[in-house]
Amino acid sequence: DVKVTQSSRYLVKRTGEKVFLECVQDMDHENMFWYRQDPGLGLRLIYFSYDVKMKEKGDIPEGYSVSREKKERFSLILESASTNQTSMYLCASSLSSIPNYGYTFGSGTRLTVV
Amino acid sequence: AQSVTQPDIHITVSEGASLELRCNYSYGATPYLFWYVQSPGQGLQLLLKYFSGDTLVQGIKGFEAEFKRSQSSFNLRKPSVHWSDAAEYFCAVGAGIKAAGNKLTFGGGTRVLVKP
């Protein structure tokens, strides 16, 4: 079964810490995405990547960065965590060659910043 | 720019009753449309999708959706809900471009509660 795996289900971090959220997919997908999900706001795109070492800002990139050194791995980095970054973070991947493929999602990481 | 509106934040339905979730999109060309479901504490699972052809599409778990271009809508329906259908449902639109990124834009979601 194809999978998108997020390394942690729950994380608690302190304000000011540097936080790494990891995502790995085993489907050889070109595209990978990071979203945050907040009640009433749905999913908002933080960053996406369409190839190794390529990245594009989404709708809410401030306070975040990303890294994609290998095709299967896409990392989200909170440079200095703040309480307003407490959220559910969802990673997804998709195929560029099949526009109607849609996304495959990971199970999410619920991050709490205290 | 593409956008999606789900007008209903919460819907409560009795088990065995029918369910309809509304989705309105804004996009300049023929959109690629998706419905996803998220069970508590889980990621999103694809229910169904539309990109061309028959405007009534069937999905998993007994769900169907109808694309109405004139109304810019893609409403999700199920004739008889089960308690396991309690979840949050997201509508999404994509440009369907065979190119870098191929981003989806999601609506705010509708949370469905099922009464016994």
Side-chain angles (χ1 to χ4, degrees):
Chain A
D1 196 14
V2 295
K3 277 187 176 176
V4 175
T5 303
Q6 295 183 231
S7 54
S8 304
R9 291 297 304 273
Y10 300 94
L11 276 179
V12 180
K13 297 293 182 181
R14 295 193 180 276
T15 302
E17 276 192 77
K18 190 169 186 176
V19 181
F20 293 85
L21 303 183
E22 306 289 345
C23 176
V24 177
Q25 51 98 1
D26 64 1
M27 298 167 284
D28 202 34
H29 284 176
E30 299 91 351
N31 304 322
M32 295 188 76
F33 307 84
W34 277 107
Y35 284 86
R36 64 176 283 174
Q37 181 183 8
D38 300 288
L41 298 177
L43 278 68
R44 293 180 291 166
L45 182 63
I46 304 171
Y47 268 96
F48 69 99
S49 168
Y50 54 88
D51 201 352
V52 176
K53 296 191 185 294
M54 305 303 291
K55 60 185 179 183
E56 294 279 344
K57 293 180 180 179
D59 301 316
I60 51 165
E62 296 78 19
Y64 303 94
S65 63
V66 291
S67 172
R68 194 169 181 196
E69 297 296 318
K70 294 184 178 181
K71 190 175 186 179
E72 68 270 19
R73 186 180 296 271
F74 191 37
S75 302
L76 180 69
I77 303 157
L78 286 65
E79 297 290 342
S80 177
S82 64
T83 55
N84 63 12
Q85 293 178 310
T86 291
S87 186
M88 168 72 94
Y89 290 87
L90 292 168
C91 176
S93 69
S94 74
L95 281 169
S96 283
S97 57
I98 306 177
N100 65 321
Y101 184 86
Y103 289 3
T104 301
F105 281 88
S107 297
T109 296
R110 185 165 294 282
L111 172 68
T112 302
V113 182
V114 297
Chain B
Q2 57 207 45
S3 66
V4 179
T5 301
Q6 294 180 245
D8 304 304
I9 298 175
H10 293 101
I11 286 181
T12 300
V13 61
S14 298
E15 192 168 15
S18 63
L19 175 67
E20 182 167 11
L21 304 183
R22 296 184 289 165
C23 172
N24 295 102
Y25 68 90
S26 174
Y27 184 65
T30 299
Y32 284 54
L33 294 159
F34 305 82
W35 274 101
Y36 286 85
V37 61
Q38 184 181 35
S39 298
Q42 301 297 314
L44 277 69
Q45 180 184 20
L46 180 66
L47 279 177
L48 48 78
K49 57 190 176 184
Y50 170 81
F51 56 98
S52 67
D54 192 346
T55 56
L56 184 65
V57 293
Q58 303 296 321
I60 62 171
K61 305 184 183 209
F63 284 91
E64 66 179 24
E66 186 172 13
F67 171 61
K68 293 185 177 180
R69 183 187 301 274
S70 62
Q71 299 177 17
S72 297
S73 69
F74 188 56
N75 294 348
L76 181 72
R77 298 194 293 255
K78 186 170 184 178
S80 176
V81 300
H82 185 262
W83 63 266
S84 60
D85 294 321
E88 190 156 21
Y89 293 80
F90 293 92
C91 182
V93 63
I97 297 171
K98 195 173 177 178
N102 193 20
K103 295 179 294 180
L104 296 183
T105 299
F106 288 82
T110 298
R111 185 170 297 278
V112 173
L113 302 175
V114 180
K115 295 190 301 184

